[in-house]
Amino acid sequence: MFGARCLLRALRRCSSAPCPKHPQAVRLSVREAQEAQEAAADVKVQGWVRSVRSHKEVLFLHINDGSSFESLQVVGDPSLEKRDLTFGSAVEVQGKLVKSLHRKQNVELKAENIRVVGPCDNLAFPFKPRERQPLEYYRQFPHLRCRTNTLNALLRVRSEATAAIHSFFKDNGYVHIHTPIITSNDCEGAGELFQLRTSNKVSEPGENPHFFDVPAFLTVSGQLHLEVMAGAFTHVFTFGPTFRAEKSQSRRHLAEFYMVEAEISFTESLQDIIQVIEDLFKTATSIVLSKCPHDVELFHKYVSPAQKGRLEQMLKNKFIIISYTEAVEILKQAPETFTFQPEWGSDLQTEHEKYLVKHCGEVPVFVINYPYNLKPFYMRDNEDGPQRTVAAVDLLVPGIGELCGGSLREERRDFLQSRLERLGLTHAYHWYLDLRQFGSTPHGGFGMGFERYLQCILGVDNIKDVIPFPRFPHSCLL
Ligand code: 4AD
Ligand code: MG
């Protein structure tokens, strides 16, 4: 029979939603059916048709419900075939699970009844059976692309990666914090904020026009709120949507993206932060590879054939650490000509990041200690002379460039106060200064762009193809 837990789950579901025609039929997902160890009578599987083949003697159907990479094979009498049983239609099949003779599958579903729940207009449907299109093609159909094998696999990987990241932090003693989406601060100070306004007029003449009495924005990062929590919990993380009104149309920027952020108290060393980033990357990736190998393989086989080897190298090797100053020296000595001349004090451009990764043997590289004037107010001053730096770290990965950004935070109240004063931010960040007055600890953390992480493990060139509904300048479909 089925595994006891799986059967119990299926029975429980069935009792809440019995099939009117077959009240006893146990509803199974495609995955549950595939994992069944033995034959079983009167089961019901629902899903979407991936292929139909009708022979004189037998009807073959493959159906998928998103629970598994492999579709479930259904066999039946050709008399069960109906005109609207076509590729893309939604069906419910009732029958017996029997041992399959096919070596690729343990069981198949011998259909006794097939009901077409929702026919699919095949002439207008933009996808065809067994046809693989480039990701750009699927991108034109944000409301339908999840029905293709490729996006179906991507979304399962995304789901497993989310769970893997949560389990990494949970296993390492981190408390998950829901940081707010609406905020009154600009953590990164880069002025890339989306400001909020109500759709209806809320204020009468003379009344404050702001719903919250102050200007409010969609968050660019949960870091400052995590820092609040790091005053009571030594290890915290958040994983949610973040928003940036960057005009960039690049292959690695979105206006809405998910960020994984962690904050650690009682740490005085950037090395501690670096270690967490490397462990997170390697542990989460190993979990994803073990949980959905076929989904990942689809990308490594058809989307980015070189990625499998690259990822193995990333997992096998220790990540490299270089300072920003060393990075600039490497770039200056590079035989290549860059569009932007590398110079101490200027930000590293994508072309520089790519060169540095290549120079280091296509292994992820941590670049540490960036110029003081390049980075936001909260980063810890290294007090290291005329070429003054802060204790910042960026992780650069092959094919993408920057994947993570983090730092030690300036825990010294007087240093922070004078920096905020110089920037005219004392009033807005008085609460942030307060944190340094009441049981402050040296602390630090980082943020990892979740979509860039998915691009990196799967080898997907454009960030718009690893998020269900991409938002970018001039486009907010659906
Ligand atoms: O380097 P960033 O701006 O760092 C922060 O926001 C810190 N406050 C995080 C922290 O220390 N808690 O962003 C972190 C990462 C980047 O390295 C990049 O991977 C991703 O977020 N990212 C984007 N991803 C997609 N689209 C964009 N527009 C992104 N901007 C940043
Ligand atoms: Mg950054």
Side-chain angles (χ1 to χ4, degrees):
M1 266 322 275
F2 309 106
R5 236 193 296 149
C6 149
L7 184 60
L8 205 68
R9 246 194 345 254
L11 281 170
R12 219 180 279 137
R13 254 203 331 260
C14 196
S15 65
S16 61
C19 163
K21 268 195 160 172
H22 303 276
Q24 288 86 28
V26 174
R27 184 165 78 79
L28 298 179
S29 70
V30 165
R31 177 181 284 267
E32 285 167 335
Q34 286 164 338
E35 285 174 356
Q37 296 303 311
E38 283 178 31
D42 222 1
V43 301
K44 181 175 71 171
V45 179
Q46 299 157 328
W48 291 267
V49 174
R50 286 288 162 83
S51 73
V52 195
R53 265 185 305 133
S54 188
H55 298 283
K56 220 155 95 202
E57 310 270 289
V58 63
L59 168 72
F60 283 111
L61 207 63
H62 282 95
I63 62 173
N64 196 295
D65 63 355
S67 62
S68 168
F69 176 78
E70 296 292 347
S71 297
L72 180 68
Q73 174 156 296
V74 176
V75 290
D77 191 90
S79 63
L80 289 171
E81 195 182 10
K82 303 172 170 65
R83 197 169 43 82
D84 52 4
L85 183 62
T86 60
F87 172 69
S89 58
V91 294
E92 184 172 279
V93 183
Q94 177 268 323
K96 283 193 185 78
L97 267 189
V98 296
K99 194 117 195 73
S100 176
L101 296 176
H102 200 290
R103 63 179 169 77
K104 268 182 86 183
Q105 67 217 0
N106 191 27
V107 291
E108 59 193 22
L109 181 57
K110 198 162 183 313
E112 283 158 10
N113 185 48
I114 301 176
R115 185 162 76 92
V116 177
V117 178
C120 175
D121 176 353
N122 263 213
L123 284 179
F125 198 45
F127 315 122
K128 302 281 168 268
R130 280 185 288 278
E131 182 183 83
R132 203 176 301 283
Q133 294 278 4
L135 291 168
E136 294 81 358
Y137 176 76
Y138 300 141
R139 215 184 292 148
Q140 301 172 75
F141 310 100
H143 58 311
L144 294 173
R145 68 176 180 167
C146 59
R147 301 180 192 213
T148 64
N149 272 342
T150 312
L151 265 290
N152 210 255
L154 179 273
L155 292 164
R156 260 188 313 274
V157 171
R158 200 178 153 106
S159 170
E160 287 296 349
T162 303
I165 287 166
H166 274 271
S167 84
F168 168 83
F169 283 119
K170 191 165 191 304
D171 292 349
N172 285 285
Y174 286 71
V175 174
H176 177 227
I177 303 289
H178 288 115
T179 50
I181 287 173
I182 299 177
T183 174
S184 53
N185 73 58
D186 175 8
C187 171
E188 294 304 290
E192 291 159 345
L193 297 166
F194 284 105
Q195 184 161 357
L196 286 178
R197 212 160 45 85
T198 54
S199 59
N200 55 341
K201 207 164 155 271
V202 286
S203 58
E204 296 299 324
E207 213 183 327
N208 192 319
H210 297 297
F211 183 89
F212 301 103
D213 283 0
V214 290
F217 314 96
L218 295 177
T219 187
V220 295
S221 160
Q223 178 196 323
L224 302 185
H225 299 96
L226 270 193
E227 282 190 68
V228 169
M229 296 302 167
F233 304 92
T234 58
H235 294 72
V236 284
F237 81 103
T238 190
F239 185 173
T242 45
F243 308 85
R244 301 207 180 169
E246 281 172 282
K247 285 274 159 60
S248 176
Q249 288 274 17
S250 90
R251 290 176 296 104
R252 44 178 225 155
H253 287 90
L254 287 168
E256 177 183 81
F257 61 99
Y258 277 70
M259 210 201 292
V260 181
E261 295 182 86
E263 202 65 31
I264 303 143
S265 306
F266 297 99
T267 177
E268 292 177 50
S269 145
L270 209 47
Q271 185 56 47
D272 291 348
I273 310 298
I274 286 173
Q275 195 59 53
V276 177
I277 298 176
E278 186 166 341
D279 288 349
L280 167 67
F281 182 92
K282 290 182 172 171
T283 308
T285 307
S286 304
I287 296 175
V288 171
L289 291 176
S290 72
K291 290 273 182 188
C292 40
H294 301 301
D295 294 313
V296 176
E297 194 185 303
L298 181 150
F299 283 87
H300 289 177
K301 213 163 157 184
Y302 300 111
V303 176
S304 178
Q307 199 60 16
K308 188 171 192 277
R310 269 198 202 162
L311 192 61
E312 279 166 5
Q313 286 304 311
M314 288 190 237
L315 294 176
K316 203 169 74 190
N317 290 300
K318 184 111 192 85
F319 294 0
I320 287 165
I321 306 176
I322 58 174
S323 70
Y324 167 88
T325 305
E326 284 168 329
V328 172
E329 278 314 306
I330 292 169
L331 293 168
K332 279 187 168 166
Q333 283 162 27
E336 313 197 357
T337 39
F338 299 110
T339 314
F340 294 89
Q341 269 318 303
E343 206 179 317
W344 203 99
S346 300
D347 228 342
L348 298 179
Q349 304 294 323
T350 309
E351 56 177 347
H352 301 148
E353 292 173 349
K354 287 205 169 137
Y355 181 82
L356 289 170
V357 172
K358 195 169 82 182
H359 176 86
C360 294
E362 297 290 342
V363 167
V365 188
F366 289 106
V367 180
I368 60 170
N369 298 334
Y370 280 75
Y372 181 91
N373 288 328
L374 276 186
K375 292 291 184 182
F377 69 91
Y378 54 72
M379 293 197 179
R380 194 176 199 277
D381 188 348
N382 281 329
E383 297 177 89
D384 47 357
Q387 289 201 323
R388 194 171 176 192
T389 64
V390 283
V393 55
D394 275 3
L395 175 64
L396 314 181
V397 294
I400 310 290
E402 182 190 334
L403 172 65
C404 301
S407 72
L408 291 180
R409 319 307 189 191
E410 184 57 84
E411 84 286 5
R412 295 161 296 184
R413 195 175 191 284
D414 49 339
F415 277 66
L416 190 58
Q417 184 155 16
S418 55
R419 191 153 192 199
L420 286 172
E421 271 164 15
R422 277 200 304 281
L423 295 167
L425 292 172
T426 328
H427 180 67
Y429 290 101
H430 65 91
W431 61 271
Y432 190 71
L433 267 175
D434 257 13
L435 300 178
R436 275 61 181 167
Q437 201 174 342
F438 307 113
S440 176
T441 70
H443 63 286
F446 68 92
M448 176 175 86
F450 183 54
E451 284 73 25
R452 290 192 191 176
Y453 168 71
L454 292 174
Q455 281 186 278
C456 175
I457 60 172
L458 297 175
V460 174
D461 193 43
N462 196 314
I463 197 165
K464 300 175 185 79
D465 298 323
V466 293
I467 187 162
F469 302 103
R471 272 81 179 90
F472 50 95
H474 312 297
S475 178
C476 186
L477 298 176
L478 276 71

